[in-house]
Amino acid sequence: MADAKYIVVIDMETSRFVGMVGKKNEDGTVSVVTAEEENAGDSVRRGNVYHKESTGMSMKRLVEKLKNKMADKLPDYRIEKVYVGVGGQSLHSIKHMEMKHLALNATVSENDLRALDEQCRAFRPEMDVAGIAPPVYYVDSKRVEQPEGLPARQIEAHYGLIVGQPVRNQVTGCMELARLSLAGLLVSPLALAEATLGREEKEAGCVQIGFHAGVTSVAVYRQGTLAHLSVIPLSLQLITKDLMTALNVREPDAEWLKTTYGLSLTGKGKNADRQEKITIDDREIDPERLSALIEGRVKEIVENVYRQVQLTGDIASLEAGIVLAGRVSGLTKLPELLQQRFNLEVTYATVREECLERNGDRTGNDPNYMTAVSLLIQATENCLQYIPPYVVPEEPKPVETPDVVQTPQRGGGTAGQDPLGPFGGSDGGINEPKSTGLDKLFKRIKEIDFFMDDREMRKTKKPKNEPGK
């Protein structure tokens, strides 16, 4: 148990933070131990930190919630450090290439590949590097899947750098205020794509669209590698605000209208076959106006996504189509709208089977937690510290003192006694307590003096009837 590897992550790509503790199993899969949520309010907008102190306190509260939930499942562990996943609106990918020349008749070694990675990490573009996508290798200008062991004169590694505003400094500052240690920074949209898209989908070409609460992420893969990643500062959450403003309704009512009626594409809502009137607080809501508000905003977001995908080349060549992810991706008839605009097949994302432990837990494929699970899969360092349980030491047993056996001595006394004592074996109180020993000693001295005086008197006294006198 103490050798197990546990990961702790915080997904902060929106104002709603998700914290999760997971276990890395020996077979490479992960299992979710516990998860919690914390609302960061206005301190984080569209994935970017606007108030460090409030964000730091939100992180601290979230970690405390995780600690409380861990108490029963992992009582002998404590959280030592945390991975943070970011996905703010400024993030986007740029291409970067590193090259290395090899000696004549040399083959590509693991050290060569490691040197290329180190060169890439040392590169400093104008914007902060938040993450690096897996590279594509070219040996002597020919693309290869696994270059190690191949003869080569030159090897190239083409990387996708995820850059943006100084998010690392922002996160580090928040962690310091929360008195937490940062294990690493992860790019949430990239982690989500790597955890849900298989090799065949990447090779065939696909686009993953993440509809999150504050932003929409776009990740395009071509020929097995990341061709483009961007984060659009528009989301389906804007629909809720549009409905609140245009229809003068509360946020819970706006959310209900959005999820219940959703997109109609024809001016009719989800329940339009019954042509029922919509009433909220004794006020009637025009179904056609509702549909127009929702559809107008969604089409704006979809059009922005379309332009991002166009930057990568021919959209029709993305044979694996569109993969939807994110907690607000389930809007009614959203797949139909995307299919009409892109002319591509649309499916929903699921975490790859080889990444999740098969224990019946459905948290991994819950849209609300899928990004956090993806961060668990990508993280590598152990984040919990094992503390051996405290064992109360046993009280020492009392040592029994053996009884002193006294042996008889000549003169009728016992060991340690004066054999010449005139009172038959008394030690005169020398070995007795002071309160009684001194008294007995003085008494004995008086008795000896009296005895000696009596003997002297008998020697000098004349008999009464002495002959001749």
Side-chain angles (χ1 to χ4, degrees):
M1 190 73 171
D3 297 331
K5 181 182 288 188
Y6 292 95
I7 308 296
V8 184
V9 299
I10 295 178
D11 176 27
M12 55 167 289
E13 63 181 332
T14 64
S15 59
R16 167 187 162 273
F17 292 174
V18 175
M20 185 172 288
V21 179
K23 179 183 177 183
K24 287 273 189 176
N25 302 308
E26 294 181 358
D27 59 358
T29 62
V30 299
S31 55
V32 178
V33 176
T34 187
E36 266 292 352
E37 299 181 20
E38 178 68 25
N39 186 8
D42 293 333
S43 60
V44 175
R45 303 174 198 166
R46 300 183 181 92
N48 289 331
V49 175
Y50 280 80
H51 196 282
K52 284 187 178 181
E53 289 77 9
S54 298
T55 304
M57 292 302 100
S58 297
M59 288 182 170
K60 187 175 182 179
R61 288 192 298 269
L62 182 57
V63 171
E64 288 299 324
K65 289 181 179 181
L66 292 174
K67 288 180 180 178
N68 293 335
K69 274 199 170 182
M70 282 172 48
D72 295 333
K73 299 179 180 180
L74 298 171
D76 300 330
Y77 287 83
R78 72 177 179 186
I79 296 177
E80 186 178 27
K81 48 190 174 182
V82 177
Y83 280 92
V84 176
V86 295
Q89 64 180 15
S90 66
L91 291 181
H92 62 278
S93 62
I94 61 173
K95 295 180 179 180
H96 177 70
M97 187 266 289
E98 292 290 346
M99 180 188 301
K100 182 176 175 53
H101 294 280
L102 280 67
L104 185 65
N105 298 326
T107 59
V108 180
S109 67
E110 183 181 353
N111 290 335
D112 294 328
L113 302 181
R114 189 181 298 111
L116 291 171
D117 289 343
E118 291 176 356
Q119 290 173 205
C120 180
R121 285 193 292 269
F123 175 68
R124 293 290 181 268
E126 294 182 359
M127 303 190 75
D128 189 22
V129 178
I132 303 175
V136 178
Y137 295 105
Y138 289 82
V139 173
D140 294 336
S141 301
K142 182 180 179 180
R143 179 175 173 173
V144 296
E145 291 295 328
Q146 180 51 258
E148 187 175 350
L150 296 178
R153 293 297 306 274
Q154 175 182 295
I155 179 172
E156 299 176 5
H158 293 240
Y159 297 90
L161 304 183
I162 315 301
V163 299
Q165 294 179 358
V167 289
R168 185 175 296 275
N169 292 338
Q170 290 181 350
V171 172
T172 302
C174 296
M175 297 289 283
E176 290 176 353
L177 290 170
R179 297 184 178 180
L180 298 171
S181 298
L182 180 65
L185 202 65
L186 302 173
V187 179
S188 296
L190 181 61
L192 180 63
E194 291 295 324
T196 58
L197 300 178
R199 181 177 179 181
E200 293 182 357
E201 291 173 302
K202 294 178 182 178
E203 290 290 346
C206 64
V207 52
Q208 184 179 81
I209 307 175
F211 289 98
H212 308 289
V215 294
T216 299
S217 61
V218 182
V220 182
Y221 283 80
R222 291 182 181 273
Q223 297 181 339
T225 186
L226 180 69
H228 177 75
L229 185 144
S230 61
V231 179
I232 302 171
L234 299 172
S235 70
L236 298 184
Q237 192 179 34
L238 293 176
I239 299 174
T240 304
K241 295 183 178 180
D242 291 343
L243 298 180
M244 291 173 62
T245 303
L247 303 179
N248 192 25
V249 295
R250 298 170 301 172
E251 183 174 358
D253 295 329
E255 282 288 337
W256 176 80
L257 289 170
K258 180 178 72 174
T259 56
T260 302
Y261 293 89
L263 286 167
S264 67
L265 306 182
T266 58
K268 298 179 181 180
K270 180 179 179 181
N271 300 326
D273 54 333
R274 292 182 289 179
Q275 293 293 326
E276 292 182 357
K277 294 182 179 180
I278 306 171
T279 303
I280 293 180
D281 294 335
D282 298 329
R283 290 189 303 107
E284 288 189 3
I285 304 296
D286 184 2
E288 291 188 2
R289 188 185 182 197
L290 172 63
S291 181
L293 288 169
I294 297 175
E295 192 168 325
R297 179 63 78 176
V298 175
K299 284 184 175 180
E300 178 190 5
I301 298 172
V302 170
E303 193 61 34
N304 276 271
V305 173
Y306 188 88
R307 293 175 183 174
Q308 293 295 320
V309 180
Q310 268 188 323
L311 296 175
T312 68
D314 183 21
I315 293 179
S317 64
L318 300 173
E319 298 179 3
I322 298 174
V323 182
L324 294 183
R327 63 178 299 164
V328 290
S329 61
L331 185 68
T332 305
K333 296 189 178 181
L334 177 61
E336 288 88 338
L337 177 61
L338 290 168
Q339 189 171 8
Q340 287 182 11
R341 184 65 183 95
F342 285 82
N343 195 26
L344 295 174
E345 182 183 357
V346 180
T347 58
Y348 283 97
T350 57
V351 178
R352 291 181 287 123
E353 291 185 0
E354 62 269 27
C355 295
L356 281 179
E357 182 184 18
R358 299 181 181 180
N359 56 3
D361 187 2
R362 298 182 179 180
T363 305
N365 286 313
D366 185 337
N368 295 322
Y369 298 106
M370 192 177 296
T371 302
V373 172
S374 302
L375 297 175
L376 288 181
I377 295 170
Q378 195 170 72
T380 56
E381 293 185 20
N382 183 52
C383 296
L384 298 188
Q385 182 180 5
Y386 175 73
I387 304 175
Y390 177 73
V391 179
V392 180
E394 296 183 1
E395 295 185 1
K397 296 181 179 180
V399 180
E400 297 182 359
T401 305
D403 296 335
V404 179
V405 180
Q406 296 181 343
T407 56
Q409 301 290 326
R410 293 183 61 186
T414 58
Q417 294 180 338
D418 183 5
L420 301 178
F423 297 99
S426 172
D427 61 359
I430 296 177
N431 294 324
E432 296 184 20
K434 291 183 180 181
S435 58
T436 59
L438 291 176
D439 294 338
K440 289 185 177 181
L441 179 61
F442 287 127
K443 183 178 180 181
R444 181 183 176 190
I445 292 173
K446 290 180 180 181
E447 291 174 342
I448 292 175
D449 290 342
F450 175 78
F451 175 75
M452 294 299 295
D453 291 343
D454 184 68
R455 277 187 16 179
E456 291 297 325
M457 289 178 63
R458 281 187 288 176
K459 286 182 181 180
T460 57
K461 188 176 181 181
K462 295 182 180 181
K464 292 181 179 181
N465 298 322
E466 185 177 356
K469 286 190 181 182

